[in-house]
Amino acid sequence: MAASDTPPIFKAWFQRCININGSDASPNDVPSNARTQINDRVSHRLQHDARLHFEALSASASANGDARKTGAAQVTSDPNPPPNQQSTAAQDVSSASSGTANGALARLVATFGPVISSSDSTEATNNDSKSPAEKSHRLVARIRALHCFLGALEGSGSLTQGVREAVGRFLVEICRSGRNEEGDVAQDGGEDLMVSEQPDFVDAAELSPEEITQQLKSMDEVEQRKNWIDESSSPSIVTVTADDIRDVSMMCLTALVRSGLDVFPTRESKSMDSPPLEKAIEVVYQSMNLRLELAMLGVRNRCDMSDSDSNNIHSGASYESMQIDFSVEEGLSQLPRAKRSICFNLLEAALEGIVNDASKWKVLLSQSQSEKSSFCDLVPASVLEKMSSFGSLSASCLHGETDPRCLLQVLRLLNRTQQVMLPLFDSQHYSIGSHMKVEESHPGGKVAFPSVVIFDAVAPYYPVHFTPPKNDPHGITRDMLQNALMSVLCERGAKYNHFNITEIDNAGGKESGEDETMITLAGRMFLERLDPPKTVMDYDPVSSGSNSEVEDKLDAVRDLSVLLLPSSSENTNPNIRRVTTAFLTELSSSLARVHEQSITSATGSPTTDDATGGLDAEDQISLASSIRQFSSTLAHWLEENGPSSFGFGLNGGEEKAEMIDSSLWEAFVVDIIRRLSPTLGSAPQGLHGRASTAYLASLAAGGGLVTLNKVLQSCIPGFLGVLALLDENREDSTTSTESSNAKNRDEEKMAAAMRGIAALISSCRVTLGRLERKHRGVKINPHPMLLFSSKIIQKISLALNSMAKHADDSQLSLAAVAALESILTTADLQALNEEDVNSMIKSFSTLASFIIQTDDAVIKTSSSDEWKTACARALGALISNGFVDVNAEVSEECHHLGVYAESLLRQTLLSASSPPDVSFDSSCNRYDWIVLAGACSNGPLFVSRRIVFDLCSRIIKDLQMNPFKDDSINFFPLTALSYLVRNGGMNVSISFHEKDGRQSFSFAIIDELCKSVKRKSSANGVTTGERDMQIPIGMSQLKLPLSEAGDWEEANTVIRRAYLILPHLLHTYERTPAISSCKTLIDSIGQVIPPLSEWDEVKLSVCLPLLASILNCSDHVWSKLEASSIDGLKSMTPYLAQFCMSPDHKPYARSSASSCLFSTIFHASNDEEQCDDDEYAIVHQLLDNNVFPALEEAVESLKADVSDLACKETSGFVSASSFSRVEDILNFMSVLGSAAECKGGPYARVGDAIAKFLVELTCTGMAKFSSNREAIELISFTKDGKENPLMNLSAHISTLSASAFGNMLSVQNGGPFWRQRITHKTLPTILKALQEQSQSQYPPALGTLAIICHMLCCLPVSVLGGSHVRQFVPTLVAGLVYYSKNTSVLVESEMLSSKASGLLSIVIASLAKMLSNSPDDLTKFMEIIIPSLSLLCASIISNEYIPIQVLVLQCLELATKHPHARNTAQREKEQVVAVLSALVDHPSSIIRHTAVQVRNVW
């Protein structure tokens, strides 16, 4: 191509490439590090300019007429193109226009070819004579030219096949390793460094003096140059090697194979008569072939480390004659990690190009099929063979790879190879049996994807052994590598045409399992890990590092699940269609064998060939459970996706396109049933029989209906055959020793058979329940147990009758009761005959005699608790399933059973509501309650309604009839109801709270609890009250009370009785169904708050705790509340606030009101959340209207009391009302603050203000909440108060606000950051107070001490900060020392308030936490802490301080574990042991035991 044809922009780039330094300056005049930066900057700038230029060309070509679509339409419409359209690669290049990306790229190759290419023989010959500067110019110019070329390829949108082939040939040649490039090293001082090392002496023999002088000068010059190089920074030396050129050429090749394909103009096919679409499809095939070949040649040439080119490809050779050696492991392993990654990027780019071509191929195929073309839709064998070679090459890259980054990249590359290529190989299978056979398109037969080669490459890495280093910047974890490895082994993401390999093998005339697939190979590898072969003695199963063998097996089961089962986000897994029946048979056998081994090891009796004996039983049980779960899920999935006729029409009624051959289900399920079921009829009591029972029962429970029927039909006859021994034992009445031993053996065998039947029946119930839920309540007919129910009932009846006769609750009896419960909850009771019903009634009568107390029968007490519990469960099952609704139509036999169940229910309710017999122990179970709980949890809703109605009626009757004495209240109906709520399921709560006519049972009980005590009997025996709960409204109804004191005394009696009953009722309001009662409770409370009479107080005392239980049971309760209920709660907040702060109400009711208020603020949505601070949100209203006015009044009252006490100059109590009034208001303020903090948003600012207010009030005695309010002065610190704070009332008062702040910190709701925020806002005030106190000689202020102790107890060190904790420690230790020296004053301080002893408890608790979590912060104080603790132990001996003394002893024990206090402990040992020895005689047993324990530690 003439130089005049070169575009001007190409000439500018060309000059920029060859002009290395941009000036005439010598290379040595520019510093080496500056030259490196210049070269990098110029190369990337050229790449950027070229990319922009070619992107513009591609966009312009697309905008000008949409040439591709036009060309496609012309070719499609013109069946006979002109002969001169035939083009080769050279013709495509020569005929391309420089205005298109293809033409410009061709001219760019022609322009930069002389700069990039190194194949000129003359240049190669004279290469050795070049100076280092010339070599540097040459290599840097090639680097720049290649970067320019890289930018051009990145900017090109689509390239024609001819241009890609020509450019690819050019780039592949540059990737080759050649002799003339090995010496091309551009390096400052490189010439002297490359020559052989010269001697450091001159051989003067036969040399003239001039020659000696010349050699010495030469040696000096060389030495000086070496010294200059050594003094320079060696990393800054410019080094450009031939490998760098090869790397950039690999990048160019990567961009080339990733580029799109411009199908037109196309290369003509060999036949001139072929249609244009077929020629276009052939071009796509050629493009696939070329991409793969270029990628493989590039990697092979880059990995070639030979110095000669004898094995390389000559530039003139055609691609058809290229013989490629794909063994690149040796050369690849010698490359650095970054260069290996470049090779992998090239292979990934080829796959991206194949995806592009495949999409075009599918479009062209769809057009060809629409035109009814006879063109073959199979990928040619040549392309598939090339893909197979590509997969083999990619797999070979993995051999010996150890770098986790490259390993992750190659594993993802292999998985991407599977995703892209497997569907193309799969088309061969898809065409079998259709109009096309493989041999017609592939004469050599089917071309196989190299799954075996890929498996051989990845298998050594399973399982992944990798522990990432600390502070790994790459973030590669073992899970990432394991995930990538499993993606390859599972062929994750590969889309098949959904065929069954069994059908394909049969259609192709081959035996199943002849061709190995990746799924089969991976499955067998997982099986080897799960069940290592026993025949090979030196076999070492794969293990994941430090994992035990059972953990390896658990991992193997999980990997099998990933391989064969669909994920939670998918409905199907195509991998199961890639396995053979032989593999599934092997899998099923291995699972059963390992399951038996794990059960054997868990029972502690390992067999001789069990390799897992001695391992932890819990791990073995977990392994057995995992195996059962996997096998049952796989059986279910195989059956569910089988043919509709195979699934008895349970698969939705529609024929699925992705069916699984039924032979797979038979191989996995039927074969193992045939192998295990004979044991169940011969020796079910053995380990093998028990393990087989568990495995088959799990198959029946987890599989579908077909699996269930198969298991039942194969196993139950064997069990019934074993139970035939019951008839023989009944006829045999001999009592010899030998006969007795035989009967014992038979009983063990029959018990195992009975348990097996119970397990299978339970499995039947699980499967039927799942099918009924799936099909929306449709019953399965006929019932799977129809053939066996009658026989099983007769055998159970024989076993229980034998037990009743001999009064023996043996293992057989326990198993029979369990089977009776299972058959009753599973079988179709409508199908029972009269004999079966009579047998069951007789059996249940026997069971009832053990647990139901009646007037004419006494409970048998000789039986075990296990037996009674089993009987109770069975009776509960009878009531839940046999009790018949009055409106139901049932058979006569079923009605007979229902009558007995109703009679049994009445007896049980009477027993449950009555006190137990005299032999009852409080620690024993109430089995009649267990019966009712089982009936409610397993039965329909009407059963629970009947039980709840009876219990509530008894409760109401007892409340109406019994006198109001604490010792006469019958709590048993209440406790029974509470037990049912906790253990009887949701139906109990629904029945309790649903309205029956006018009101629900819950409010009927509330009304009775709130009624007046004064009653009189009416003529008909019904008691009525003298007054209603509330005074009737109206002037005509107004009545003055006879005595106010009498009314309050009566109200207090009602409240006291209600508080005895409420703990049993609270459980019924802690369940979700209680929401239905929430609105009525809110309305009832809203009518009587604020309370205007003593009976309003009674109602609030009863209703507020119940409402608090509903609101706090769970967060989702608030999402189900009606808007009117939420509005009602918001409207009550001012009255709830007043109620909480008033000392005139009961503490329990005030606490409940506070809880309701907290929940309302925290959960209820409020439209005012977006308001500014000056607007009245709910918390602002409560603070402004309720809290601060009450606080100001209470503080003034407290100050007046303190002043009066000081004037009297006597020690005594301050007014308890004023002190507690301030405490209550501050505590309520902390509730508002914690609720606001937990709610967040604008409310958080209010919470922060409350926290700062409390802290300032504690530390300074005065605080101001906001700018529009006056400051409140709580206390004023005096000198006497600072010197002896324990005996100063002001110091005690300062702890009130500190305790309120501690209450805020102790709240656990809300997010994780609000405590950190208020800590940050309050720490400055606290630290300032600590700094002022550190400069004085007084003891620490009690308020400040209380605040830091609350913060240490409630906040982790990460929130406080280590430096702040260390600032708190001196004050904490000073408080401990002050208390230890003033224990005699502690009792006197109790006359002022109880805050002093409470603060001591917090101090010791903070110290215990510090000793446990942050002992290093206490190291320098241990010499003070240990003597102070021992002094406290010796001084505090009163029974009132037992909790404090236990904490002190705990701290002494923790002190011995301090890592840096050994010497201090040794010095104080004698004194501490003496104190502890004295505590051994303490009156409290807790102190005695704790003291002995601590003394032993010391």
Side-chain angles (χ1 to χ4, degrees):
M1 184 177 295
S4 58
D5 296 336
T6 304
I9 188 171
F10 289 1
K11 293 180 180 179
W13 293 346
F14 183 80
Q15 292 299 325
R16 189 60 175 154
C17 289
I18 62 176
N19 187 10
I20 303 302
N21 298 313
S23 65
D24 295 335
S26 172
N28 294 329
D29 296 337
V30 182
S32 58
N33 57 349
R35 285 197 298 274
T36 301
Q37 298 175 1
I38 291 173
N39 290 329
D40 291 343
R41 186 168 60 251
V42 171
S43 298
H44 290 90
R45 182 62 184 174
L46 286 170
Q47 179 181 346
H48 176 72
D49 292 344
R51 182 172 62 252
L52 293 180
H53 177 71
F54 276 80
E55 286 177 353
L57 289 178
S58 300
S60 176
S62 176
N64 293 332
D66 203 355
R68 291 180 179 83
K69 294 184 179 179
T70 304
Q74 290 175 354
V75 174
T76 304
S77 60
D78 185 9
N80 298 315
N84 59 1
Q85 221 174 26
Q86 181 177 3
S87 61
T88 62
Q91 289 173 343
D92 279 345
V93 173
S94 62
S95 62
S97 169
S98 61
T100 64
N102 288 278
L105 190 61
R107 282 164 172 73
L108 189 65
V109 173
T111 302
F112 288 88
V115 179
I116 300 175
S117 178
S118 62
S119 58
D120 184 70
S121 59
T122 304
E123 182 182 354
T125 304
N126 299 327
N127 190 40
D128 294 338
S129 62
K130 293 180 181 179
S131 66
E134 292 173 338
K135 294 179 181 180
S136 175
H137 281 70
R138 174 66 177 167
L139 293 180
V140 173
R142 295 176 68 188
I143 288 288
R144 292 183 177 181
L146 283 172
H147 273 90
C148 183
F149 201 68
L150 175 60
L153 290 172
E154 291 175 346
S156 300
S158 298
L159 300 177
T160 61
Q161 174 67 8
V163 171
R164 181 183 287 112
E165 184 176 348
V167 176
R169 185 189 301 273
F170 174 74
L171 291 174
V172 165
E173 290 298 320
I174 301 174
C175 295
R176 292 196 307 123
S177 172
R179 179 186 57 81
N180 58 330
E181 292 181 348
E182 294 298 327
D184 290 349
V185 179
Q187 186 177 30
D188 291 344
E191 182 180 9
D192 293 336
L193 293 178
M194 294 295 291
V195 298
S196 59
E197 185 176 356
Q198 298 183 0
D200 55 356
F201 65 94
V202 175
D203 188 3
E206 300 179 358
L207 291 180
S208 63
E210 293 78 6
E211 292 175 341
I212 294 174
T213 303
Q214 184 65 29
Q215 288 195 16
L216 290 173
K217 288 182 178 180
S218 177
M219 290 175 59
D220 289 339
E221 292 176 358
V222 172
E223 187 66 24
Q224 290 176 4
R225 185 171 298 180
K226 288 183 178 180
N227 293 336
W228 180 83
I229 293 174
D230 293 338
E231 292 173 359
S232 304
S233 179
S234 57
S236 301
I237 297 176
V238 180
T239 303
V240 180
T241 65
D243 281 346
D244 297 327
I245 297 175
R246 297 168 71 186
D247 291 338
V248 181
S249 64
M250 290 283 288
M251 297 178 188
C252 296
L253 200 58
T254 300
L256 178 68
V257 298
R258 184 185 284 117
S259 62
L261 171 64
D262 194 350
V263 181
F264 301 97
T266 67
R267 173 184 291 187
E268 297 288 344
S269 62
K270 296 181 180 180
S271 174
M272 295 299 298
D273 299 331
S274 58
L277 275 174
E278 295 184 7
K279 289 183 287 186
I281 293 175
E282 288 181 1
V283 171
V284 176
Y285 292 152
Q286 294 168 11
S287 175
M288 292 181 179
N289 199 25
L290 180 63
R291 293 181 196 270
L292 297 172
E293 197 159 16
L294 290 177
M296 292 188 290
L297 284 171
V299 173
R300 190 268 173 192
N301 289 345
R302 183 63 187 88
C303 297
D304 187 7
M305 295 298 175
S306 61
D307 293 337
S308 63
D309 56 353
S310 59
N311 294 327
N312 291 325
I313 305 169
H314 298 285
S315 59
S318 63
Y319 278 91
E320 289 77 5
S321 63
M322 294 179 180
Q323 300 297 327
I324 305 172
D325 180 15
F326 296 110
S327 299
V328 296
E329 300 95 322
E330 182 177 357
L332 188 66
S333 62
Q334 299 180 26
L335 294 177
R337 185 209 63 81
K339 298 182 184 297
R340 297 201 304 273
S341 182
I342 293 175
C343 296
F344 305 151
N345 290 336
L346 175 57
L347 298 177
E348 293 173 355
L351 292 176
E352 295 181 19
I354 294 296
V355 172
N356 191 317
D357 291 344
S359 62
K360 286 184 170 60
W361 173 62
K362 293 177 181 178
V363 172
L364 293 172
L365 278 182
S366 63
Q367 296 178 7
S368 174
Q369 293 172 357
S370 64
E371 296 182 5
K372 298 182 179 180
S373 173
S374 61
F375 186 76
C376 177
D377 59 353
L378 295 181
V379 179
S382 59
V383 179
L384 293 180
E385 290 172 356
K386 193 70 67 178
M387 290 182 179
S388 179
S389 301
F390 180 89
S392 301
L393 176 69
S394 301
S396 66
C397 295
L398 195 61
H399 294 303
E401 185 61 65
T402 57
D403 189 277
R405 289 168 286 176
C406 288
L407 181 61
L408 184 63
Q409 186 178 8
V410 178
L411 289 174
R412 290 174 175 173
L413 168 66
L414 292 177
N415 183 233
R416 186 58 178 163
T417 303
Q418 294 170 332
Q419 295 173 1
V420 173
M421 295 184 178
L422 273 174
L424 303 178
F425 281 84
D426 191 32
S427 61
Q428 304 173 93
H429 300 282
Y430 190 68
S431 299
I432 296 177
S434 63
H435 68 281
M436 195 68 188
K437 291 186 178 181
V438 173
E439 288 77 5
E440 296 180 10
S441 177
H442 304 158
K446 182 177 65 176
V447 180
F449 182 77
S451 295
V452 177
V453 177
I454 295 177
F455 174 79
D456 291 340
V458 301
Y461 294 94
Y462 176 83
V464 174
H465 301 168
F466 176 68
T467 302
K470 294 182 179 179
N471 303 321
D472 182 18
H474 308 293
I476 298 178
T477 63
R478 181 186 179 275
D479 291 339
M480 294 172 63
L481 293 173
Q482 180 73 12
N483 226 3
L485 177 61
M486 290 300 297
S487 296
V488 178
L489 294 174
C490 299
E491 295 180 347
R492 192 171 293 162
K495 304 295 183 183
Y496 296 101
N497 288 321
H498 304 297
F499 66 90
N500 290 333
I501 191 171
T502 306
E503 297 176 357
I504 295 302
D505 291 336
N506 294 335
K510 299 179 182 180
E511 295 181 359
S512 176
E514 180 179 338
D515 294 334
E516 293 287 358
T517 64
M518 175 66 75
I519 307 304
T520 305
L521 293 169
R524 287 203 170 93
M525 182 174 66
F526 299 157
L527 278 183
E528 287 183 359
R529 189 182 184 192
L530 176 66
D531 186 22
K534 306 297 182 183
T535 55
V536 183
M537 300 302 297
D538 58 347
Y539 177 77
D540 186 15
V542 291
S543 176
S544 55
S546 60
N547 285 2
S548 63
E549 186 174 348
V550 67
E551 290 173 343
D552 277 345
K553 293 186 176 185
L554 281 169
D555 290 340
V557 175
R558 284 191 286 266
D559 293 339
L560 283 170
S561 302
V562 173
L563 180 70
L564 299 176
L565 298 180
S567 62
S568 57
S569 60
E570 299 176 348
N571 294 326
T572 60
N573 188 340
N575 290 342
I576 197 62
R577 299 180 179 86
R578 308 289 294 180
V579 300
T580 61
T581 56
F583 170 76
L584 286 180
T585 302
E586 180 184 357
L587 172 64
S588 181
S589 300
S590 298
L591 290 173
R593 183 165 51 252
V594 177
H595 176 263
E596 181 179 345
Q597 293 174 358
S598 62
I599 289 181
T600 302
S601 299
T603 56
S605 301
T607 57
T608 55
D609 60 344
D610 185 10
T612 62
L615 296 176
D616 189 13
E618 293 183 1
D619 293 337
Q620 295 291 349
I621 293 173
S622 176
L623 174 60
S625 178
S626 299
I627 291 175
R628 292 195 298 268
Q629 178 68 27
F630 167 70
S631 60
S632 59
T633 306
L634 182 57
H636 171 74
W637 196 80
L638 289 172
E639 179 183 334
E640 190 75 11
N641 291 270
S644 296
S645 58
F646 170 70
F648 294 101
L650 293 176
N651 294 330
E654 297 180 359
E655 195 69 27
K656 298 183 179 180
E658 303 175 6
M659 290 298 174
I660 298 177
D661 192 349
S662 60
S663 61
L664 296 178
W665 174 84
E666 294 176 357
F668 185 76
V669 176
V670 177
D671 291 347
I672 195 65
I673 292 176
R674 290 172 181 167
R675 188 168 68 85
L676 298 180
S677 56
T679 306
L680 307 183
S682 58
Q685 75 279 11
L687 286 175
H688 180 59
R690 288 153 54 189
S692 300
T693 301
Y695 187 82
L696 293 178
S698 68
L699 278 182
L705 184 61
V706 182
T707 305
L708 172 65
N709 285 324
K710 188 65 179 176
V711 172
L712 293 179
Q713 294 168 7
S714 302
C715 301
I716 288 186
F719 286 138
L720 291 176
V722 174
L723 292 177
L725 295 172
L726 286 169
D727 300 321
E728 299 177 5
N729 292 338
R730 182 176 58 177
E731 296 173 359
D732 186 9
S733 59
T734 57
T735 58
S736 62
T737 304
E738 184 177 350
S739 176
S740 177
N741 294 335
K743 287 183 179 181
N744 291 335
R745 290 192 298 270
D746 292 344
E747 182 177 341
E748 181 183 3
K749 189 175 181 179
M750 289 186 292
M754 195 70 80
R755 291 194 192 94
I757 289 177
L760 293 179
I761 297 174
S762 299
S763 300
C764 180
R765 182 179 67 251
V766 172
T767 302
L768 293 181
R770 184 176 64 248
L771 292 175
E772 289 180 10
R773 290 189 299 270
K774 178 181 178 181
H775 300 285
R776 300 180 181 179
V778 177
K779 301 286 186 180
I780 302 299
N781 192 18
H783 197 281
M785 293 295 301
L786 182 62
L787 299 176
F788 310 107
S789 298
S790 179
K791 298 178 181 178
I792 293 174
I793 290 174
Q794 297 302 324
K795 299 300 181 184
I796 293 173
S797 179
L798 283 176
L800 293 179
N801 291 338
S802 175
M803 182 275 305
K805 181 179 179 181
H806 298 90
D808 181 21
D809 52 344
S810 61
Q811 292 299 318
L812 176 58
S813 303
L814 287 171
V817 172
L820 181 60
E821 178 190 359
S822 298
I823 196 70
L824 195 61
T825 57
T826 305
D828 184 8
L829 300 182
Q830 299 284 346
L832 298 179
N833 55 39
E834 184 178 359
E835 182 182 2
D836 297 335
V837 171
N838 292 333
S839 299
M840 293 180 67
I841 292 176
K842 184 177 180 181
S843 300
F844 281 116
S845 299
T846 303
L847 301 182
S849 62
F850 287 90
I851 58 175
I852 304 299
Q853 178 180 351
T854 59
D855 296 336
D856 55 351
V858 180
I859 296 178
K860 301 178 181 179
T861 59
S862 59
S863 302
S864 64
D865 291 338
E866 182 182 6
W867 165 252
K868 290 185 177 181
T869 303
C871 293
R873 290 172 55 89
L875 293 174
L878 171 63
I879 296 174
S880 63
N881 294 274
F883 190 78
V884 182
D885 194 0
V886 293
N887 299 323
E889 296 182 0
V890 296
S891 63
E892 183 178 354
E893 291 78 7
C894 190
H895 178 73
H896 186 196
L897 185 64
V899 170
Y900 176 78
E902 185 174 2
S903 173
L904 178 65
L905 176 60
R906 287 196 300 268
Q907 296 178 12
T908 308
L909 286 170
L910 180 61
S911 175
S913 303
S914 304
D917 57 359
V918 293
S919 62
F920 180 78
D921 187 1
S922 59
S923 61
C924 297
N925 295 321
R926 284 294 299 261
Y927 299 103
D928 43 11
W929 294 355
I930 297 177
V931 173
L932 297 178
C936 292
S937 60
N938 298 320
L941 182 59
F942 68 85
V943 175
S944 299
R945 287 173 178 165
R946 169 64 185 279
I947 295 174
V948 171
F949 174 81
D950 188 278
L951 291 176
C952 290
S953 300
R954 294 174 187 272
I955 294 172
I956 295 173
K957 184 178 179 181
D958 288 339
L959 291 175
Q960 291 175 348
M961 299 297 296
N962 292 336
F964 282 59
K965 295 181 180 180
D966 298 346
D967 57 352
S968 62
I969 299 177
N970 182 14
F971 289 102
F972 291 102
L974 278 169
T975 52
L977 179 63
S978 177
Y979 181 87
L980 295 184
V981 170
R982 288 179 279 115
N983 301 280
M986 201 61 69
N987 285 342
V988 178
S989 297
I990 294 174
S991 303
F992 182 76
H993 291 283
E994 67 180 357
K995 292 185 177 181
D996 182 13
R998 186 171 57 89
Q999 64 179 358
S1000 63
F1001 290 118
S1002 59
F1003 284 96
I1005 295 176
I1006 291 175
D1007 290 343
E1008 291 299 327
L1009 288 177
C1010 297
K1011 282 185 178 179
S1012 170
V1013 178
K1014 294 181 179 180
R1015 300 172 183 267
K1016 60 180 180 179
S1017 301
S1018 59
N1020 55 6
V1022 178
T1023 61
T1024 58
E1026 290 185 354
R1027 61 168 63 89
D1028 294 328
M1029 250 190 312
Q1030 192 171 1
I1031 298 176
I1033 300 174
M1035 295 298 297
S1036 62
Q1037 301 292 333
L1038 182 59
K1039 297 179 182 179
L1040 295 176
L1042 298 178
S1043 172
E1044 183 178 358
D1047 285 347
W1048 275 113
E1049 182 180 356
E1050 185 180 358
N1052 289 331
T1053 303
V1054 173
I1055 293 175
R1056 186 171 60 253
R1057 183 192 64 164
Y1059 282 178
L1060 293 175
I1061 296 174
L1062 278 180
H1064 303 285
L1065 283 180
L1066 288 179
H1067 294 293
T1068 62
Y1069 288 85
E1070 294 172 353
R1071 299 293 185 271
T1072 304
I1075 298 175
S1076 60
S1077 300
C1078 190
K1079 186 178 187 322
T1080 308
L1081 272 176
I1082 293 173
D1083 295 340
S1084 300
I1085 294 173
Q1087 293 174 4
V1088 296
I1089 191 169
L1092 301 178
S1093 68
E1094 61 275 10
W1095 299 109
D1096 291 349
E1097 181 77 20
V1098 170
K1099 193 164 189 178
L1100 288 176
S1101 299
V1102 173
C1103 293
L1104 281 174
L1106 301 178
L1107 179 61
S1109 298
I1110 298 177
L1111 297 181
N1112 293 302
C1113 64
S1114 62
D1115 293 341
H1116 69 271
V1117 167
W1118 285 87
S1119 62
K1120 298 181 180 181
L1121 283 180
E1122 300 177 1
S1124 59
S1125 299
I1126 298 177
D1127 293 339
L1129 285 170
K1130 292 178 183 178
S1131 64
M1132 287 193 304
T1133 51
Y1135 307 110
L1136 289 174
Q1138 294 176 5
F1139 190 87
C1140 292
M1141 293 185 293
S1142 174
D1144 299 331
H1145 307 296
K1146 299 297 180 181
Y1148 187 39
R1150 293 166 58 192
S1151 176
S1152 301
S1154 177
S1155 178
C1156 294
L1157 187 59
F1158 181 93
S1159 299
T1160 303
I1161 298 174
F1162 179 45
H1163 291 287
S1165 60
N1166 197 314
D1167 296 335
E1168 298 170 349
E1169 288 185 8
Q1170 304 300 326
C1171 297
D1172 297 332
D1173 288 342
D1174 55 346
E1175 296 187 35
Y1176 289 98
I1178 185 172
V1179 182
H1180 280 296
Q1181 294 175 1
L1182 294 176
L1183 290 172
D1184 294 339
N1185 301 333
N1186 300 95
V1187 176
F1188 282 111
L1191 180 61
E1192 292 171 355
E1193 180 183 353
V1195 168
E1196 292 299 326
S1197 175
L1198 180 61
K1199 287 181 179 179
D1201 291 344
V1202 173
S1203 178
D1204 293 343
L1205 186 63
C1207 293
K1208 294 177 182 179
E1209 296 183 356
T1210 58
S1211 60
F1213 288 102
V1214 72
S1215 176
S1217 60
S1218 60
F1219 192 88
S1220 61
R1221 175 74 168 155
V1222 174
E1223 182 180 14
D1224 293 341
I1225 296 173
L1226 291 176
N1227 288 336
F1228 178 74
M1229 183 182 288
S1230 70
V1231 172
L1232 294 181
S1234 58
E1237 292 286 359
C1238 293
K1239 189 174 183 62
Y1243 283 81
R1245 292 193 291 270
V1246 184
D1248 295 342
I1250 292 175
K1252 293 175 64 177
F1253 176 82
L1254 293 175
V1255 171
E1256 290 178 1
L1257 202 62
T1258 302
C1259 296
T1260 64
M1262 178 183 296
K1264 188 175 183 180
F1265 182 76
S1266 59
S1267 58
N1268 57 353
R1269 299 199 65 88
E1270 296 182 357
I1272 296 179
E1273 184 181 4
L1274 182 61
I1275 55 172
S1276 58
F1277 296 102
T1278 62
K1279 182 178 180 181
D1280 294 338
K1282 294 179 180 179
E1283 290 178 350
N1284 191 9
L1286 280 178
M1287 295 304 298
N1288 185 267
L1289 184 59
S1290 298
H1292 286 230
I1293 295 174
S1294 67
T1295 62
L1296 300 180
S1297 52
S1299 299
F1301 181 70
N1303 293 339
M1304 284 188 65
L1305 296 178
S1306 62
V1307 175
Q1308 299 299 320
N1309 289 329
F1313 301 113
W1314 68 268
R1315 293 182 188 83
Q1316 185 174 355
R1317 185 178 62 253
I1318 64 172
T1319 301
H1320 172 74
K1321 291 185 176 295
T1322 56
L1323 269 177
T1325 305
I1326 298 173
L1327 295 177
K1328 181 180 178 181
L1330 293 180
Q1331 185 178 6
E1332 293 176 354
Q1333 292 180 15
S1334 64
Q1335 298 173 359
S1336 66
Q1337 301 298 323
Y1338 300 120
L1342 297 186
T1344 309
L1345 178 63
I1347 277 191
I1348 67 168
C1349 289
H1350 279 296
M1351 297 183 78
L1352 288 173
C1353 286
C1354 300
L1355 301 175
V1357 178
S1358 58
V1359 173
L1360 278 174
S1363 61
H1364 296 147
V1365 170
R1366 287 187 287 273
Q1367 289 178 276
F1368 287 175
V1369 169
T1371 304
L1372 174 65
V1373 175
L1376 175 67
V1377 173
Y1378 176 70
Y1379 268 103
S1380 65
K1381 293 181 179 180
N1382 293 273
T1383 53
S1384 59
V1385 186
L1386 185 61
V1387 178
E1388 298 180 12
S1389 68
E1390 295 292 331
M1391 299 178 63
L1392 298 176
S1393 73
S1394 61
K1395 294 299 178 182
S1397 58
L1399 178 56
L1400 177 58
S1401 301
I1402 302 174
V1403 170
I1404 304 300
S1406 303
L1407 183 63
K1409 181 180 177 182
M1410 292 286 295
L1411 287 170
S1412 178
N1413 297 340
S1414 305
D1416 293 338
D1417 295 330
L1418 298 174
T1419 300
K1420 62 181 181 181
F1421 298 100
M1422 293 304 296
E1423 294 182 352
I1424 304 174
I1425 292 174
I1426 295 178
S1428 299
L1429 291 174
S1430 62
L1431 185 58
L1432 279 174
C1433 275
S1435 303
I1436 302 178
I1437 57 176
S1438 174
N1439 291 335
E1440 299 177 0
Y1441 302 115
I1442 288 177
I1444 298 177
Q1445 206 157 13
V1446 172
L1447 283 173
V1448 173
L1449 291 173
Q1450 182 182 359
C1451 290
L1452 281 174
E1453 183 178 1
L1454 291 172
T1456 61
K1457 302 176 182 178
H1458 195 286
H1460 308 296
R1462 301 283 180 147
N1463 295 332
T1464 303
Q1466 288 293 333
R1467 288 195 301 268
E1468 303 292 337
K1469 178 180 179 179
E1470 183 177 355
Q1471 179 182 357
V1472 172
V1473 171
V1475 172
L1476 294 175
S1477 300
L1479 289 177
V1480 174
D1481 297 329
H1482 196 278
S1484 173
S1485 61
I1486 298 177
I1487 298 298
R1488 292 198 301 270
H1489 293 312
T1490 308
V1492 170
Q1493 177 182 348
V1494 178
R1495 188 181 64 174
N1496 292 337
V1497 172
W1498 274 84

